Amino acid sequence: MKDCNQCGKCCIKYGNGDLAATQEEIDLWEIFNPDIFEYVKDGKIWFDPETREQLDRCPFLELVPKIKVEEKDKYTCSIYQDRPEDCRLYPSLIDEMVRDECEMIEIDDLENPNKAQKQLDKLMSSSRP
Ligand code: SF4
Ligand code: SF4
């Protein structure tokens, strides 16, 4: 399994209404991060602060400036330390990564999914509760 290369596919796929934040996270944003809290509506994320419509894309996903034009797009999260639990817990399952075309997956992971899952569990252990 490769390291995450910040391809952004997961954030692009799930950032348009398929992410959830816990009530505790929302409460903390309200107090300490009003710039994040303004994108919350009725306990759900991410909504346009002005129109109150669901956004098509996570507002905190940023394209990293390229040094060379031929480089692949690379993304970063502008609220990385305060991102919601759903984001912190991704990726959690090999099947999900394959479905999402996560670029951490290698041929060997497809051939040995159980081994790959164990490797992933170890890799993600510090992010999981
Ligand atoms: S909050 Fe950060 S990690 Fe979560 S979808 Fe947005 S950019 Fe990605
Ligand atoms: S899809 Fe996989 S490789 Fe791409 S940013 Fe998400 S975790 Fe990283």
Side-chain angles (χ1 to χ4, degrees):
M1 186 172 302
K2 288 182 277 188
D3 288 336
C4 171
N5 65 2
Q6 298 176 253
C7 73
K9 284 179 190 167
C10 49
C11 298
I12 292 167
K13 177 171 181 184
Y14 296 110
N16 64 348
D18 279 336
L19 290 175
T22 64
Q23 190 55 51
E24 192 187 352
E25 285 169 331
I26 294 170
D27 291 344
L28 287 171
W29 290 336
E30 184 170 14
I31 300 165
F32 300 110
N33 293 97
D35 292 351
I36 303 177
F37 182 72
E38 65 179 351
Y39 289 90
V40 178
K41 184 176 120 184
D42 301 331
K44 297 196 176 109
I45 59 178
W46 303 112
F47 288 80
D48 186 305
E50 284 167 19
T51 64
R52 308 310 284 147
E53 295 290 321
Q54 175 85 57
L55 291 170
D56 291 335
R57 185 155 163 151
C58 173
F60 305 108
L61 183 63
E62 292 183 354
L63 197 55
V64 175
K66 291 181 188 186
I67 295 165
K68 294 178 187 163
V69 271
E70 64 269 25
E71 281 176 9
K72 268 184 76 176
D73 286 350
K74 197 170 163 182
Y75 293 85
T76 187
C77 172
S78 65
I79 58 163
Y80 190 76
Q81 299 300 334
D82 300 297
R83 68 199 190 286
E85 187 179 74
D86 262 7
C87 303
R88 273 184 283 122
L89 297 180
Y90 188 92
S92 59
L93 295 169
I94 298 299
D95 284 355
E96 164 191 68
M97 294 164 87
V98 172
R99 192 189 59 217
D100 296 346
E101 297 177 15
C102 171
E103 298 190 10
M104 291 171 70
I105 293 287
E106 296 183 281
I107 301 285
D108 188 47
D109 302 322
L110 299 173
E111 289 169 352
N112 301 286
N114 291 340
K115 184 176 159 218
Q117 184 66 51
K118 283 192 186 125
Q119 201 182 341
L120 178 68
D121 291 344
K122 201 169 161 195
L123 198 71
M124 295 297 292
S125 59
S126 59
S127 309
R128 294 178 183 167

